[in-house]
Amino acid sequence: MAGARETHLLDAHKRLGARIVEFGGWDMPLQYSGVVAEHNAVRHNAGVFDVSHLGKLRVTSPQGSAALQHAVTADIEGLVPGQASYALVLTDDAGTVDDIFIYRVAEHEWLVVPNAANVTAVAEMIEASGTEVADEWDRWAILAIQGPRSFEVFDKVFPGSGATDLKLHRFTTLDVLGEEGMVARTGYTGERGFELYAPAAVAEPALERILDAGAAPVGLGARDTLRLEMGYALYGHELTRDINPLEASLGWAVKWDPDFRGKEALSAVKETGPARRLFGIACTGRGVPRQGCPVFAGEQRIGELTSGNFSPTLGTGIGLALGPRELTPEVGQSVAIEARGRRIEGDIVKPPFIKRA
Amino acid sequence: MAQLPDDRQYTAEHEWAKDDGGRIVVGITYYAQDQLGDVVFVGLPEPGSEVTAGEPLGEVESTKSVSDVYSPVTGRVAEKNLAVEQNPELINSDPYGKGWLVVIEPAEGGLGELMDAEAYGQLTE
């Protein structure tokens, strides 16, 4: 790709003192004040993230619904207009192309939200299933407003929008400073909150009002520590074309009634049991484990970290690891993660790593 | 970054070394902590350990990455900063003060010629 894409909020991020990095082909804010402070703002107060790098694929053709159903693992006909679902897009052999959110906008109108790096691959999969896809990458800014005080913040900025009455994974249209936008009760932090689809023209003033209402700006660094504390999968880590959803503990995101690409291969996996399993490790020793670090039970290598980071809530390292099913450790078992030639001791835990009130 | 103290010397690996009555206080620079981001763990040598100029003496780890801290001088560790081990964020909040890492009793020869504040400032511009 020639040059990174810019969100409609890049200038605002720079004014807020963000450190900008390229992520998924976009220039994005990594952090503003610091990962730990931003993380804590979301856990205890409210934070706002620019997640405009996420894909925005719209499917509206009459045959679109059936085609889309074939491309994803959710039961999309079971959604009502105004309802969204997490889903996976698989290859024929059940490798994971991406994890997405899918929004049923109307009877035959859908918004598919892939990870930034996988937009093209997801669009190709949907097209291969028999429908055209419109890429609205530049039309919207997406702002995630998350945290225990997110409802208060949202109500202050958009009074009477009805957003705070929405149930989890429901969405509605709303007026965003004179333009029609969309707000969903979704997010990827483990806190309550919203994702706001603001039309490009009003993205910056919308962000300013959300900040003025008390949300702290939060970058991708804290987005990663927040999702990891919850044990949520991140594409390129827990999910790749080489990892099927049952290995990644995402069987709950697969609905077996509809036919979907990869179903036959995944059914075979279900029959025999996945070859590998994902497990969580909470470090008891000092140090931050990182993706790729091997995990040992005694002298036996039992897996490799798919994600590792520092948990600001626990004050210790945490990690998710993938390893052969027959070697999967038990919850409570002690293991060691090898990082930079040293071993960090840890205990096997069942994610999430933190318990929510 | 106007806050480069001129009472100490600097290394190309972004440590500072300050002569305190013949003993050398060592820390990492504002630039180093800014590049690292939030420091969450610090690994320091025990008092009594021998350290060698240009060799790692410990490590600082942030949410983003981990990096070695290189000793600016050869000698023996006289003190380590227990407060910074307990509260690594001191390195972010006060890298030239409360965020110091170790005090080294230099071997014969003492602290060699390192960069002054002006030269180091140019390096990190």
Side-chain angles (χ1 to χ4, degrees), chain A residues 139-326:
Chain A
R139 182 175 168 192
W140 307 99
I142 311 177
L143 288 167
I145 301 129
Q146 305 275 303
R149 285 193 54 231
S150 61
F151 276 52
E152 193 184 318
V153 167
F154 204 89
D155 237 2
K156 208 185 276 186
V157 182
F158 303 104
S161 70
T164 51
D165 297 328
L166 292 170
K167 290 184 181 152
L168 189 65
H169 293 179
R170 299 289 176 141
F171 63 96
T172 186
T173 55
L174 83 170
D175 180 281
V176 183
L177 305 168
E179 306 249 352
E180 186 175 286
M182 182 180 114
V183 59
R185 279 272 285 108
T186 51
Y188 217 57
T189 62
E191 299 300 328
R192 64 206 303 241
F194 307 92
E195 287 176 312
L196 173 69
Y197 289 69
V202 293
E204 214 174 299
L207 173 64
E208 277 164 19
R209 283 170 200 224
I210 292 162
L211 293 169
D212 287 345
V218 184
L220 294 182
R223 186 170 164 82
D224 190 46
T225 53
L226 287 158
R227 72 91 195 167
L228 186 56
E229 281 188 343
M230 299 309 297
Y232 294 163
L234 178 63
Y235 197 84
H237 293 254
E238 288 69 42
L239 291 171
T240 69
R241 288 203 181 215
D242 184 45
I243 300 173
N244 70 58
L246 299 183
E247 292 176 314
S249 306
L250 289 171
W252 59 268
V254 179
K255 299 293 177 261
W256 295 93
D257 285 343
D259 273 323
F260 58 87
R261 182 182 293 112
K263 182 176 177 179
E264 202 177 319
L266 197 63
S267 299
V269 173
K270 193 183 179 192
E271 201 69 26
T272 59
R276 296 171 294 183
R277 281 207 182 277
L278 198 67
F279 53 92
I281 305 162
C283 296
T284 50
R286 293 161 56 86
V288 182
R290 312 281 177 184
Q291 183 179 21
C293 290
V295 181
F296 293 87
E299 290 312 305
Q300 181 159 42
R301 186 180 165 132
I302 59 167
E304 188 173 291
L305 286 197
T306 50
S307 288
N309 212 322
F310 176 74
S311 160
T313 304
L314 300 176
T316 61
I318 54 173
L320 292 171
L322 191 66
R325 183 181 50 174
E326 62 275 17

Side-chain angles (χ1 to χ4, degrees), chain B residues 97-112:
Chain B
K98 294 196 182 82
W100 65 275
L101 300 177
V102 292
V103 176
I104 297 170
E105 192 75 57
E108 242 171 280
L111 186 60

Side-chain angles (χ1 to χ4, degrees), chain B residues 80-94:
Chain B
K80 66 170 179 172
N81 188 349
L82 297 169
V84 91
E85 277 190 337
Q86 288 297 313
N87 300 300
E89 67 271 17
L90 288 172
I91 292 173
N92 296 115
S93 59
D94 193 7

